[in-house]
Amino acid sequence: MSLEGEQAPDFTLEHTGGDEITLSDTLEDGPTVVLVNRGHWCSFCAEQLQTFSEVEYDLWFNDNVDILPVVTDPIGPVTGMRDRYDLNFQLLADPDGEVAEQYSGTEETSHGLTGIAAVYVIDEDGTVQYEQVADHPADRTHGNWVRYFIRNDFEDPFSG
């Protein structure tokens, strides 16, 4: 089931800085990008997160956009992932996959329960303006495309 055009499910998760963050709170200031990641071990997730880390400050400073990367692992391995890849933002731990299940879904893999990789752009009203659920682990939307999408009033910047 697609969430595009629907209200985004609200959630609260612990992040790698030691606090909790709630999606609806971030929407008070502007759009939010929710990334669902498979786990701390996923190299495709790390590559995608690095593309968002590169544009995160620009999006926050110029467009009031928050980026909430949800990783289906306990906080310890998620913190290790943030540090290992020198990411500029905090990652959110979803160890039971409850948030991932509300968005793209979960699946059992050789690593245990993982989220299905996805990207969601949610406007200030809480409506999902963009959804991309990965067909396979390497199928990813990158940060720069999302930056153009937001700055093009939630329209594909490369169509037409």
Side-chain angles (χ1 to χ4, degrees):
M1 177 183 104
S2 175
L3 290 176
E4 197 163 318
E6 303 293 327
Q7 282 295 116
D10 200 15
F11 61 84
T12 300
L13 289 173
E14 180 182 8
H15 70 64
T16 51
D19 294 324
E20 288 188 339
I21 193 160
T22 301
L23 172 63
S24 56
D25 290 345
T26 68
L27 295 172
E28 292 174 6
D29 297 325
T32 297
V33 178
V34 173
L35 306 169
V36 177
N37 291 272
R38 298 169 54 79
H40 73 280
W41 45 266
C42 176
S43 61
F44 295 114
C45 298
E47 178 185 12
Q48 180 189 39
L49 288 172
Q50 288 172 327
T51 73
F52 278 92
S53 186
E54 291 171 3
V55 300
E56 179 267 340
Y57 180 78
D58 178 38
L59 281 169
W60 172 79
F61 186 80
N62 292 303
D63 304 295
N64 294 320
V65 174
D66 284 303
I67 298 176
L68 303 181
V70 175
V71 184
T72 52
D73 272 320
I75 196 69
V78 174
T79 301
M81 180 185 203
R82 179 204 62 199
D83 295 345
R84 181 172 53 254
Y85 295 106
D86 197 27
L87 300 172
N88 294 329
F89 45 66
Q90 303 299 329
L91 306 179
L92 287 72
D94 184 23
D96 299 322
E98 292 175 10
V99 173
E101 188 61 42
Q102 293 180 61
Y103 281 80
S104 55
T106 58
E107 60 187 352
E108 276 296 327
T109 71
S110 61
H111 295 279
L113 183 71
T114 68
I116 297 171
V119 175
Y120 297 87
V121 177
I122 304 165
D123 69 17
E124 300 89 346
D125 297 323
T127 303
V128 177
Q129 294 293 327
Y130 174 78
E131 172 186 55
Q132 187 263 332
V133 178
D135 290 330
H136 54 79
D139 181 24
R140 304 297 174 108
T141 299
H142 288 220
N144 206 33
W145 187 91
V146 168
R147 176 171 47 183
Y148 288 125
F149 178 78
I150 291 168
R151 290 184 179 163
N152 198 42
D153 296 322
F154 304 115
E155 297 289 332
D156 185 340
F158 303 109
S159 66

